[in-house]
Amino acid sequence: MDRTLAEALRATLSAARENVREWLDEGLESWDAVPRPSPAVAEAGGTAALPVRDPDSFPADSLPSLGSDPGTAPARSAARLEDIRSALGDCQECRLAAGRTQIVFGDGAPDADLMLIGEGPGEQEDRRGIPFVGRAGELLTQMIERGLEIPRSCVYICNIVKCRPPDNRAPLADEVAACRSVLDAQIDAVQPKVILALGKPATSLLLDRNVAISRVRGTWQEYRGIPVMPTYHPAFLLRQYTEENRRQVWQDLKQALTRARERGGRFPELS
Ligand code: URA
């Protein structure tokens, strides 16, 4: 075989192998698991069909900036979150509105020093209106409470999209974009010392690029001046419950808590 052709084939194979490794790392179990628009989405014209929320229509930047008085900060954060939630109303900014039971806004302490950001509500979350209460949520709660030994109620947990994607598919780019100002406003309201990004979609959004989670997990990143620790999504961990994956997530969680404490974050002990 021609040497140049052989080299080109080798390079192509090596790139393909690398891609497959990344997909497996990120939880791909079959080709059907690659997120595709549902028939309804395709009918609606795919991802380009919906308008993206005008950032000026959302109160994120119009809210007064937080003071540093610890006595009033929790109340202010709570009031801000309430404002954001009520500005969201019965949001119809993207197609996910049509399939949701309710908006799953966020859960936990309004002024938490550690904020966890996932992907989007699943069936249980959609039913109960609280993020991370299904199987992945149970694992996450265990990791927080048994692992970090802090109550779940002292962190703040939310998702990059607030409405359940159909068939638990990954949220599409325009759905994530439509919800982004809400997430930014939540981050501004909570003002966490550290953000833990759970999985590829949340990490890619915060880092503003398409990341391979296996490459960036465990490395410090930053979003709007806040340290971000990317880690695997608990749903991935449930699927690939290996000792190595558990060890890595555990390490990432511990790093996040330590950094939050170093930055002045306070966490009550689990009673
Ligand atoms: N997975 C997520 O990313 N978020 C949830 O709220 C539940 C499962």
Side-chain angles (χ1 to χ4, degrees):
M1 188 190 299
D2 177 277
R3 186 181 283 177
T4 329
L5 180 60
E7 272 168 16
L9 273 176
R10 241 193 310 275
T12 307
L13 274 176
S14 149
R17 216 177 288 124
E18 180 67 8
N19 275 342
V20 170
R21 194 169 23 236
E22 247 176 43
W23 292 331
L24 289 173
D25 272 354
E26 284 156 17
L28 179 77
E29 284 161 349
S30 73
W31 295 112
D32 281 349
V34 175
R36 281 176 305 189
S38 67
V41 169
E43 227 168 70
T47 57
L50 288 164
V52 167
R53 181 196 295 277
D54 170 7
D56 293 338
S57 71
F58 205 73
D61 296 332
S62 57
L63 292 166
S65 65
L66 276 183
S68 58
D69 180 350
T72 60
R76 285 210 206 168
S77 292
R80 272 188 169 198
L81 286 174
E82 272 168 33
D83 285 350
I84 298 160
R85 178 62 191 88
S86 60
L88 203 51
D90 181 37
C91 179
Q92 300 289 327
E93 289 288 328
C94 83
R95 66 181 76 74
L96 296 183
R100 73 175 177 231
T101 303
Q102 57 190 314
I103 290 174
V104 181
F105 183 66
D107 181 44
D111 63 332
D113 290 321
L114 183 60
M115 183 165 181
L116 284 69
I117 303 177
E119 184 177 321
E123 189 185 356
Q124 295 289 326
E125 291 78 16
D126 176 64
R127 183 132 40 99
R128 294 180 50 190
I130 306 169
F132 283 101
V133 288
R135 276 188 72 221
E138 275 170 25
L139 177 60
L140 183 66
T141 306
Q142 274 185 19
M143 293 191 300
I144 297 169
E145 302 210 326
R146 287 205 208 147
L148 296 179
E149 298 180 340
I150 58 172
R152 169 178 160 140
S153 58
C154 79
V155 302
Y156 189 81
I157 306 178
C158 64
N159 287 302
I160 57 173
V161 295
K162 313 300 181 204
C163 302
R164 182 190 181 199
D167 307 321
N168 291 339
R169 67 158 166 78
L172 303 177
D174 63 330
E175 295 157 358
V176 174
C179 226
R180 183 174 195 148
S181 60
V182 183
L183 178 67
D184 283 342
Q186 285 175 299
I187 294 172
D188 281 353
V190 175
Q191 298 214 326
K193 304 281 189 239
V194 166
I195 293 173
L196 196 60
L198 304 171
K200 177 189 172 95
T203 306
S204 297
L205 178 69
L206 297 180
L207 271 53
D208 206 20
R209 64 190 162 88
N210 187 25
V211 301
I213 190 67
S214 55
R215 295 229 180 92
V216 296
R217 67 135 289 276
T219 66
W220 282 109
Q221 309 289 331
E222 201 178 278
Y223 185 66
R224 305 171 113 196
I226 303 168
V228 172
M229 172 53 62
T231 194
Y232 292 126
H233 192 285
F236 165 72
L237 203 53
L238 280 175
R239 287 194 301 266
Q240 314 267 328
Y241 206 63
T242 65
E243 219 168 275
E244 176 62 4
N245 288 342
R246 292 199 318 253
R247 188 189 61 76
Q248 290 184 336
V249 171
W250 173 227
Q251 222 175 47
D252 302 342
L253 257 65
K254 273 196 304 189
Q255 280 206 77
L257 184 65
T258 303
R259 183 88 180 263
R261 284 189 166 129
E262 283 167 3
R263 301 189 81 227
R266 277 181 293 175
F267 300 87
E269 284 190 9
L270 197 58
S271 55

PDB file of all heavy atoms in Angstrom, residues 118-122 125 130-133 136 159 233, ligand 1:
ATOM      1  N   GLY A 118     -26.254  20.438  37.251  1.00  0.00           N
ATOM      2  CA  GLY A 118     -26.430  19.246  36.427  1.00  0.00           C
ATOM      3  C   GLY A 118     -26.960  19.606  35.056  1.00  0.00           C
ATOM      4  O   GLY A 118     -26.850  20.750  34.603  1.00  0.00           O
ATOM      5  N   GLU A 119     -27.582  18.610  34.436  1.00  0.00           N
ATOM      6  CA  GLU A 119     -27.956  18.757  33.025  1.00  0.00           C
ATOM      7  C   GLU A 119     -29.410  19.207  32.859  1.00  0.00           C
ATOM      8  O   GLU A 119     -29.677  20.294  32.357  1.00  0.00           O
ATOM      9  CB  GLU A 119     -27.727  17.386  32.389  1.00  0.00           C
ATOM     10  CG  GLU A 119     -27.956  17.318  30.921  1.00  0.00           C
ATOM     11  CD  GLU A 119     -27.615  15.926  30.404  1.00  0.00           C
ATOM     12  OE1 GLU A 119     -26.627  15.321  30.865  1.00  0.00           O
ATOM     13  OE2 GLU A 119     -28.353  15.437  29.543  1.00  0.00           O
ATOM     14  N   GLY A 120     -30.319  18.384  33.303  1.00  0.00           N
ATOM     15  CA  GLY A 120     -31.730  18.729  33.152  1.00  0.00           C
ATOM     16  C   GLY A 120     -32.562  17.748  33.949  1.00  0.00           C
ATOM     17  O   GLY A 120     -32.119  16.631  34.222  1.00  0.00           O
ATOM     18  N   PRO A 121     -33.776  18.143  34.333  1.00  0.00           N
ATOM     19  CA  PRO A 121     -34.615  17.263  35.145  1.00  0.00           C
ATOM     20  C   PRO A 121     -34.969  15.976  34.414  1.00  0.00           C
ATOM     21  O   PRO A 121     -35.163  15.980  33.192  1.00  0.00           O
ATOM     22  CB  PRO A 121     -35.887  18.094  35.376  1.00  0.00           C
ATOM     23  CG  PRO A 121     -35.584  19.478  34.905  1.00  0.00           C
ATOM     24  CD  PRO A 121     -34.415  19.418  33.994  1.00  0.00           C
ATOM     25  N   GLY A 122     -35.055  14.898  35.172  1.00  0.00           N
ATOM     26  CA  GLY A 122     -35.562  13.638  34.638  1.00  0.00           C
ATOM     27  C   GLY A 122     -37.014  13.469  35.067  1.00  0.00           C
ATOM     28  O   GLY A 122     -37.654  14.425  35.523  1.00  0.00           O
ATOM     29  N   GLU A 125     -37.790  14.232  38.809  1.00  0.00           N
ATOM     30  CA  GLU A 125     -37.599  15.663  39.091  1.00  0.00           C
ATOM     31  C   GLU A 125     -38.757  16.467  38.505  1.00  0.00           C
ATOM     32  O   GLU A 125     -39.280  17.391  39.129  1.00  0.00           O
ATOM     33  CB  GLU A 125     -36.267  16.142  38.493  1.00  0.00           C
ATOM     34  CG  GLU A 125     -35.036  15.592  39.183  1.00  0.00           C
ATOM     35  CD  GLU A 125     -34.670  14.162  38.821  1.00  0.00           C
ATOM     36  OE1 GLU A 125     -35.187  13.666  37.788  1.00  0.00           O
ATOM     37  OE2 GLU A 125     -33.867  13.539  39.544  1.00  0.00           O
ATOM     38  N   ILE A 130     -38.217  19.107  42.011  1.00  0.00           N
ATOM     39  CA  ILE A 130     -36.947  19.269  42.742  1.00  0.00           C
ATOM     40  C   ILE A 130     -35.832  18.581  41.942  1.00  0.00           C
ATOM     41  O   ILE A 130     -36.035  17.437  41.483  1.00  0.00           O
ATOM     42  CB  ILE A 130     -37.031  18.620  44.153  1.00  0.00           C
ATOM     43  CG1 ILE A 130     -38.228  19.168  44.923  1.00  0.00           C
ATOM     44  CG2 ILE A 130     -35.743  18.840  44.942  1.00  0.00           C
ATOM     45  CD1 ILE A 130     -38.533  18.385  46.192  1.00  0.00           C
ATOM     46  N   PRO A 131     -34.687  19.248  41.768  1.00  0.00           N
ATOM     47  CA  PRO A 131     -33.618  18.598  41.003  1.00  0.00           C
ATOM     48  C   PRO A 131     -32.983  17.443  41.768  1.00  0.00           C
ATOM     49  O   PRO A 131     -32.925  17.455  43.003  1.00  0.00           O
ATOM     50  CB  PRO A 131     -32.594  19.720  40.782  1.00  0.00           C
ATOM     51  CG  PRO A 131     -32.879  20.734  41.826  1.00  0.00           C
ATOM     52  CD  PRO A 131     -34.336  20.616  42.172  1.00  0.00           C
ATOM     53  N   PHE A 132     -32.518  16.476  41.028  1.00  0.00           N
ATOM     54  CA  PHE A 132     -31.750  15.351  41.572  1.00  0.00           C
ATOM     55  C   PHE A 132     -32.468  14.635  42.725  1.00  0.00           C
ATOM     56  O   PHE A 132     -31.969  14.582  43.843  1.00  0.00           O
ATOM     57  CB  PHE A 132     -30.347  15.816  41.998  1.00  0.00           C
ATOM     58  CG  PHE A 132     -29.426  15.989  40.821  1.00  0.00           C
ATOM     59  CD1 PHE A 132     -29.161  17.245  40.306  1.00  0.00           C
ATOM     60  CD2 PHE A 132     -28.831  14.892  40.214  1.00  0.00           C
ATOM     61  CE1 PHE A 132     -28.331  17.413  39.205  1.00  0.00           C
ATOM     62  CE2 PHE A 132     -27.995  15.044  39.117  1.00  0.00           C
ATOM     63  CZ  PHE A 132     -27.737  16.308  38.614  1.00  0.00           C
ATOM     64  N   VAL A 133     -33.638  14.100  42.399  1.00  0.00           N
ATOM     65  CA  VAL A 133     -34.354  13.282  43.391  1.00  0.00           C
ATOM     66  C   VAL A 133     -34.626  11.866  42.878  1.00  0.00           C
ATOM     67  O   VAL A 133     -35.232  11.068  43.572  1.00  0.00           O
ATOM     68  CB  VAL A 133     -35.683  13.942  43.847  1.00  0.00           C
ATOM     69  CG1 VAL A 133     -35.441  15.133  44.728  1.00  0.00           C
ATOM     70  CG2 VAL A 133     -36.563  14.286  42.654  1.00  0.00           C
ATOM     71  N   ALA A 136     -30.114   9.005  40.139  1.00  0.00           N
ATOM     72  CA  ALA A 136     -28.852   9.764  40.109  1.00  0.00           C
ATOM     73  C   ALA A 136     -28.812  10.731  41.290  1.00  0.00           C
ATOM     74  O   ALA A 136     -27.767  10.959  41.905  1.00  0.00           O
ATOM     75  CB  ALA A 136     -28.716  10.521  38.788  1.00  0.00           C
ATOM     76  N   ASN A 159     -29.938  22.859  37.469  1.00  0.00           N
ATOM     77  CA  ASN A 159     -29.569  22.278  36.174  1.00  0.00           C
ATOM     78  C   ASN A 159     -29.394  23.369  35.133  1.00  0.00           C
ATOM     79  O   ASN A 159     -29.904  24.478  35.304  1.00  0.00           O
ATOM     80  CB  ASN A 159     -30.679  21.331  35.706  1.00  0.00           C
ATOM     81  CG  ASN A 159     -30.710  20.034  36.498  1.00  0.00           C
ATOM     82  OD1 ASN A 159     -29.727  19.306  36.548  1.00  0.00           O
ATOM     83  ND2 ASN A 159     -31.840  19.753  37.132  1.00  0.00           N
ATOM     84  N   HIS A 233     -21.038  13.081  35.772  1.00  0.00           N
ATOM     85  CA  HIS A 233     -22.428  13.157  36.200  1.00  0.00           C
ATOM     86  C   HIS A 233     -22.763  11.885  36.996  1.00  0.00           C
ATOM     87  O   HIS A 233     -22.308  10.797  36.632  1.00  0.00           O
ATOM     88  CB  HIS A 233     -23.325  13.263  34.958  1.00  0.00           C
ATOM     89  CG  HIS A 233     -24.729  13.633  35.271  1.00  0.00           C
ATOM     90  ND1 HIS A 233     -25.616  12.735  35.818  1.00  0.00           N
ATOM     91  CD2 HIS A 233     -25.399  14.802  35.130  1.00  0.00           C
ATOM     92  CE1 HIS A 233     -26.782  13.341  35.990  1.00  0.00           C
ATOM     93  NE2 HIS A 233     -26.671  14.591  35.588  1.00  0.00           N
TER      94      HIS A 233
HETATM   95  N1  URA B   1     -29.930  14.573  36.091  1.00  0.00           N
HETATM   96  C1  URA B   1     -29.689  15.898  36.046  1.00  0.00           C
HETATM   97  O1  URA B   1     -28.786  16.350  35.373  1.00  0.00           O
HETATM   98  N2  URA B   1     -30.449  16.679  36.795  1.00  0.00           N
HETATM   99  C2  URA B   1     -31.422  16.245  37.551  1.00  0.00           C
HETATM  100  O2  URA B   1     -32.066  17.057  38.197  1.00  0.00           O
HETATM  101  C3  URA B   1     -31.641  14.857  37.592  1.00  0.00           C
HETATM  102  C4  URA B   1     -30.900  14.037  36.852  1.00  0.00           C
END
